[in-house]
Amino acid sequence: MRVVFAGTPEFAARALRALLHAGPDHGLHVVAAYTQPDRPAGRGMKLTASAVKEVALAHHLPVLQPATLRTPEAVAELAALQPDVMVVAAYGLILPQAILDVPRLGCLNIHASLLPRWRGAAPIHRAILAGDAKTGVAIMQMEAGLDTGPVLLETFTAIGARETTGELHDRLATLGAEAIVHVLSRLSRGEELAAATQSTHGVTYANKVSPEEAQIDWSASAVEIDRKVRAFNPTPGAWTTWHGEKLKVWATGLVPVPSCLGSEPGTVTAAEGEHLLVSCGSSVLAVTEIQRAGGKRMAVGAWLRGGGHPAVGERLGN
């Protein structure tokens, strides 16, 4: 089976590695990789290859980086590869119908949610932010709609009570890699897979995450703020302000304090030991890891021992 792969970040690169490793034993031949054009990154803003491009080059795969797929030339370029199937994972470009029609078996997407919940760009962030108890990976037959196609396979997993987006991302990337190898192996043997039409009920959309959305609203409940901190770790990072300085909040903890009567949300109620306790809409939240502007991530205890930290009675945020 001739496989064309399309993806950009590490989530996709893990699936590409799995397909390349499984190929000889499962009748799969990855013939090319599509990925986003190199982007400036780092302090020096040096052009940097995507994770998928690095894997492809290491395995001597042809790499294609078109700025768009909405041209006759792009369609002809894909057709020249004679793909049986195209695997798409966090690619970053919309596939028009003319592209979807090229592979003999169509295009399969590795999506990091249990569809139809969390269609769209940021399903892992949204699942944690919403307090979902479980999530998973869906292998979906792509069509013109946004993550609306029939599902060939779903893999379920519980979301850990303290799990961050980064941690869940890594687990789902592994599950997605295993799932796509399983699906393609069966298709390469000529097996037919039942495609389940997505339900019209329970549809939600995982909109892109912005840095502005990651600002902490201390009037929210401790549970909601704790979810936000975990959902936006590692990107873009939940944040608040103190004396006009931006503080990234990387880790928090729920504490058994039912309320903090008389304290405005954002007020520091304790600053000692390993915890900075901050009042919020319903109780108190322990801030345990922070990062000051221009500084490194550190445990709050180290910050408190070093001085220059908020005092009891001071407020964080607006």
Side-chain angles (χ1 to χ4, degrees), residues 137-151:
V137 170
I139 306 299
M140 178 194 67
Q141 187 84 48
M142 295 180 70
E143 55 185 33
L146 178 61
D147 298 330
T148 58
V151 175

Side-chain angles (χ1 to χ4, degrees), residues 249-281:
V249 179
W250 290 112
T252 52
L254 301 174
V255 293
V257 179
S259 65
C260 194
L261 297 177
S263 296
E264 291 289 332
T267 302
V268 175
T269 63
E272 59 184 359
E274 301 301 317
H275 298 298
L276 184 72
L277 300 185
V278 184
S279 64
C280 44

Side-chain angles (χ1 to χ4, degrees), residues 96-153:
Q97 190 63 50
I99 290 288
L100 296 175
D101 291 340
V102 170
R104 177 176 62 86
L105 298 174
C107 300
L108 302 183
N109 179 239
I110 308 171
H111 187 75
S113 81
L114 300 175
L115 294 167
R117 187 159 178 80
W118 302 129
R119 294 173 177 172
I124 303 175
H125 294 82
R126 297 299 171 191
I128 291 179
L129 196 61
D132 289 0
K134 65 179 181 179
T135 186
V137 170
I139 306 299
M140 178 194 67
Q141 187 84 48
M142 295 180 70
E143 55 185 33
L146 178 61
D147 298 330
T148 58
V151 175
L152 299 175
L153 177 71

Side-chain angles (χ1 to χ4, degrees), residues 77-102:
E77 190 170 43
L78 177 60
L81 295 170
Q82 299 180 317
D84 292 304
V85 66
M86 187 173 188
V87 173
V88 182
Y91 178 28
L93 285 183
I94 295 175
L95 274 60
Q97 190 63 50
I99 290 288
L100 296 175
D101 291 340
V102 170

